[in-house]
Amino acid sequence: MRKKIVAGNWKMNMSLEEGLRFARSVDQYFREKPAGKAEVILCTPFIHLPGVAEIVKSGKVALGAQNCASEASGAYTGEVSAFMIKSTGAQYVIIGHSERRSYYNENDKLLNKKTVLALNSGLKAIFCFGEVKEEREAGTHFIIVKRQLDEGLFTLPVEEMNKIVIAYEPVWAIGTGLTATPEQAQEMHQYIRGLVKEKYGNDCAKQMPILYGGSCKPSNAAELFSKPDVDGGLIGGASLKKEDFIAIVEAV
Ligand code: PEP
């Protein structure tokens, strides 16, 4: 059976002290009441990583970053490499979030380079992609998603694919309050799993976690996660409220 995952993306929120307090309280909850079938991941800003790694060391909650540099090391002022992220104790890194794609012009080729560096550094990558509103309205969303996967991810050899978590995040649903219907999510997730199967075979497709992201909250999580190809969620806004985040984990 493939893994169910709920990953919280804190984005650029919380001071160091606030973040550590929040992580402590989430970790304590899942130590007392384990998340059952779901793997819980906190994807924090870089500054929180070492402190949160220490807090979650019992292993009930995993840790990830939200981005990594596109180079391995060297004179790249202000950047943080995948290797540096790994050295904090984190296990995951988000690659290709729509905010990175749109505000920082990250394209599929660059994201592919980051993904390779992340895996070479011993991290697992949560690879994000999805269409914008105009593409959905024009009916080109399947074509867009296929291109993002072909160029960003499908250059990897099959042996590396067990270190990948796929996150379908329709851009029109991120932080907007608009959510894909469970049927829209299932339709796209099924299509994505089909693409993975075509490229890497049935075993790989069957084990690949495919997360949904986009205004997922306690009121819609259970219905979204009830779909057979939706293996959990990447949660933005609702991951900043402990009760909401826990309710979403429990919906899995
Ligand atoms: C995200 O940032 O990945 C996300 C899905 O955000 P939100 O849940 O706020 O839409």
Side-chain angles (χ1 to χ4, degrees):
M1 236 195 31
R2 63 180 167 264
K3 222 193 239 180
K4 304 276 183 189
I5 297 174
V6 177
N9 173 15
W10 292 2
K11 311 197 187 197
M12 194 172 72
N13 289 294
M14 295 201 271
S15 69
L16 178 57
E17 197 191 331
E18 286 164 345
L20 296 186
R21 197 181 319 125
F22 186 86
R24 223 172 270 123
S25 137
V26 170
D27 181 69
Q28 189 184 345
Y29 183 89
F30 288 115
R31 267 191 287 128
E32 285 165 11
K33 203 165 176 289
K37 277 186 274 176
E39 176 167 18
V40 180
I41 310 172
L42 297 180
C43 295
T44 78
F46 293 131
I47 63 148
H48 298 89
L49 290 173
V52 176
E54 188 57 32
I55 289 166
V56 300
K57 65 178 182 237
S58 76
K60 299 292 180 222
V61 172
L63 177 63
Q66 301 169 13
N67 178 35
C68 68
S70 59
E71 302 296 331
S73 66
Y76 299 97
T77 303
E79 289 294 281
V80 176
S81 73
F83 171 77
M84 289 154 75
I85 293 168
K86 175 70 181 169
S87 76
T88 66
Q91 302 96 345
Y92 286 92
V93 60
I94 296 176
I95 308 256
H97 191 279
S98 74
E99 288 149 19
R100 302 293 318 171
R101 289 176 185 263
S102 69
Y103 304 147
Y104 302 97
N105 296 321
E106 297 194 353
N107 61 29
D108 294 312
K109 194 159 173 258
L110 179 98
L111 296 170
N112 182 256
K113 202 171 164 200
K114 289 189 177 195
T115 304
V116 170
L117 282 168
L119 302 190
N120 288 347
S121 303
L123 291 169
K124 294 179 188 164
I126 303 174
F127 187 83
C128 304
F129 55 92
E131 80 285 357
V132 299
K133 185 164 160 272
E134 294 71 24
E135 292 161 344
R136 163 84 41 179
E137 283 168 357
T140 56
H141 44 295
F142 292 112
I143 298 169
I144 297 297
V145 158
K146 181 172 187 320
R147 194 207 63 219
Q148 290 170 325
L149 283 170
D150 280 341
E151 293 178 13
L153 196 62
F154 285 178
T155 63
L156 295 178
V158 67
E159 317 80 74
E160 299 279 271
M161 290 303 280
N162 61 356
K163 300 173 201 154
I164 297 291
V165 174
I166 284 177
Y168 168 61
E169 299 206 300
V171 181
W172 48 271
I174 299 179
T176 58
L178 293 175
T179 314
T181 63
E183 291 69 33
Q184 284 172 321
Q186 169 58 23
E187 182 187 36
M188 183 57 90
H189 283 223
Q190 190 175 6
Y191 174 69
I192 293 164
R193 201 175 303 287
L195 294 176
V196 176
K197 181 174 169 186
E198 226 171 81
K199 173 78 188 171
Y200 293 106
N202 198 31
D203 288 352
C204 178
K206 268 198 335 214
Q207 67 76 37
M208 178 63 67
I210 307 180
L211 312 186
Y212 167 79
S215 300
C216 187
K217 40 191 184 263
S219 58
N220 58 26
E223 222 192 323
L224 283 160
F225 300 162
S226 72
K227 294 294 175 190
D229 288 294
V230 179
D231 304 314
L234 179 53
I235 318 299
S239 76
L240 297 169
K241 295 182 205 117
K242 183 184 156 196
E243 288 70 28
D244 286 2
F245 186 59
I246 286 170
I248 293 171
V249 173
E250 292 182 343
V252 173

